[in-house]
Amino acid sequence: MKKQMNKNVQSTYKSNDTEEWLDKVFNRPIGYLWAKFFERLGVHPNTVTVFSMIIGASSAYFFAQGSYFTEGGHGLLMNIIAILLLMWANFYDSADGQLARMTGKKTRLGRILDGASSDIWFIPIYCGLVYRFYCHHDLVFQTLHISDTPTHALTAALLLFVIALYSGFGCHARQCGIADYYRQIHLFFLKGEAGSELDNSTQQQQIYDQTPWKGNFLWKAFLKTYINYTRNQERQTPQFQQLIHALRHRYGATENIPQQFRDEFRRRSLPFMKWTNILTFNTRAIALYLCALLDLPWLYFLFEIICMGALCKWMRHRHEKMCKEFMSIA
């Protein structure tokens, strides 16, 4: 029974190569149960994604109210509720993709929504953390021997808000975007075009241009966001762009790329998957949970900017170097 359950869960993976250990043992099994539940109800995967956005964003209120200095023992309860809500949102984020693969209901909108879901969660959470800091800034001021005046408090909160903006849009979004792109590159060489979602901005721009405005305003807005998303991925990977252009020029269709080349690329790309997993949700969420429970909300932004930023930069350097080496045999 357990063995069959494991097989059923594994059948909903994008690939075994790209799955993280914590997802395999925790998130995917629970996500699978939710996917089966939604399948019985006939719920579309995109609807599940929207549910995850709402639940994840709602955790921001509880993160904002979680300070022990302003809420006392009640703050611990607020943190626990916030953590449970964000975990629940992540289960749904897993379930939507598993449900799509189980039912074959994969859509371009689903791909766009899935990529945007974590941004929808974290934007209000970051604002909540800044508000939480503002509510108990006096402790930080005492530690740094800064006089606690309304002007100083507001200045400190605004400064942290600017740091949060950079952390969210300059680091979080870019880090998750490039990590997802490296996964799709890996899947492209592992499973071919049909088994990956390696979209490019030129294709997305063509779809956008061919879609009329009348009756498609919201869809056009989603497409425009996705064009920018893919364009940003391409800007960060110039060596890979040269490699994929050379391969398409020489071999045309993906299936014409020699299997030996694809196997070697997969072999050398595989070690990057563990780093892409670190840059996505689980490690980030654990750091957020710890900073919230320690009542040091500002520390999370430093973790994202410094630690995750350094890892992302190193990974990009290594991946670009690998693609440059493959250019000699493309």
Side-chain angles (χ1 to χ4, degrees), residues 63 66-68 75 79 82-83 129 132 286-297 300:
F63 276 119
S67 173
Y68 307 130
N79 284 316
I83 291 168
L129 293 179
R132 176 170 168 169
I286 291 169
L288 174 62
Y289 301 157
L290 289 174
C291 291
L293 291 171
L294 291 171
D295 212 356
L296 299 170
Y300 174 76

Side-chain angles (χ1 to χ4, degrees), residues 151-216:
T151 302
H152 287 168
L154 184 60
T155 301
L158 288 173
L159 177 61
L160 187 62
F161 182 69
V162 171
I163 293 171
L165 285 175
Y166 176 70
S167 179
F169 294 103
C171 298
H172 180 125
R174 287 169 64 86
Q175 291 163 7
C176 289
I178 197 64
D180 177 63
Y181 197 54
Y182 286 155
R183 283 186 193 167
Q184 299 308 325
I185 290 171
H186 187 85
L187 289 170
F188 176 82
F189 287 99
L190 175 65
K191 294 186 170 185
E193 202 131 16
S196 73
E197 295 169 336
L198 190 64
D199 297 323
N200 66 70
S201 59
T202 303
Q203 291 174 336
Q204 303 313 308
Q205 185 67 55
Q206 288 173 353
I207 295 169
Y208 177 85
D209 292 339
Q210 292 166 7
T211 303
W213 277 103
K214 188 175 181 181
N216 295 294

Side-chain angles (χ1 to χ4, degrees), residues 174-175 178 279 308-317:
R174 287 169 64 86
Q175 291 163 7
I178 197 64
L279 284 172
M308 300 292 262
L311 175 59
C312 185
K313 188 173 183 179
W314 175 83
M315 186 178 68
R316 281 179 56 202
H317 170 73

